[in-house]
Structure formats: structure tokens, C-alpha cells
Amino acid sequence: MNDENIIRAKDVFETPEGDYCILLEKMERTLQAWIDEEIAKGAPFPEWKIWVYFLQVCRGVNYLNWMNIIHNDLTTENIMLYDWQYVKLGDFGQSKMFE
């Protein structure tokens, strides 16, 4: 998949034991970690940032729909953040393709 709001796989390889590993691009934190940090600070959530994150999640889901993929596990733990402003969807272990 090649979309700015979907986490990218950098490499796939097989271990000597026969397991497959996927090397993903580095992300800074999950959306849940950011929420927990904001709650711990006692600061209100900046509304503009929530809208920015929400719109990027929507763009990512729209791309998945365009690719005929259903994520099936879209939680704050599977929404990744980097550079404090960019959102990428990850963890496609439960996803399904449809026709």
C-alpha cells in the first residue's frame, strides 16, 4: 500500500526458523499514548489537533476502502503519530479484503 496515512513496510524477510518478519517505518507514538500524556498534563485537548488527526484517519480509511480492505481493528493503539502532526494507520493483522 502506498498512501501517506498508511504505515509503510520497509522490508519483509524470513528468519532461519521460518518465521516472517515485517520491518515497518519508525513511528513516534500511538494516538493512545498522546491521549494519555495530555490527560496526565491536565491540559485540554487542542481542538484543531483533534480535527487534523481525525481528517487524516478518515483519509487513511478512505484509501483502504478504495483498495477494498477493511481494517477490522481500528483503535487508538493502531493509529500511529509522528512529528506531532502526522497520522498513519497500522496493525493490519485483523484486516480483510473484499470484492
Side-chain angles (χ1 to χ4, degrees), residues 48-88:
W48 68 270
K49 190 175 278 194
I50 293 169
W51 277 109
V52 168
Y53 290 171
F54 176 72
L55 291 174
Q56 290 181 62
V57 168
C58 289
R59 283 198 311 252
V61 169
N62 186 55
Y63 176 79
L64 293 176
N65 287 339
W66 181 73
M67 296 294 293
N68 296 329
I69 297 171
I70 299 172
H71 191 284
N72 279 337
D73 191 25
L74 195 57
T75 67
T76 54
E77 290 292 333
N78 296 330
I79 299 171
M80 313 298 175
L81 305 176
Y82 72 97
D83 201 21
W84 288 101
Q85 58 187 336
Y86 301 108
V87 169
K88 292 196 179 218

Side-chain angles (χ1 to χ4, degrees), residues 4-39:
E4 65 183 17
N5 296 115
I6 305 295
I7 196 164
R8 286 188 175 87
K10 298 283 191 175
D11 194 14
V12 178
F13 58 93
E14 186 176 1
T15 66
E17 295 81 21
D19 297 320
Y20 287 95
C21 296
I22 302 171
L23 181 63
L24 302 174
E25 66 182 304
K26 185 177 187 284
M27 304 304 291
E28 293 175 0
R29 65 181 37 86
T30 65
L31 180 60
Q32 186 62 53
W34 175 74
I35 291 169
D36 293 342
E37 289 169 11
E38 293 296 309
I39 289 171

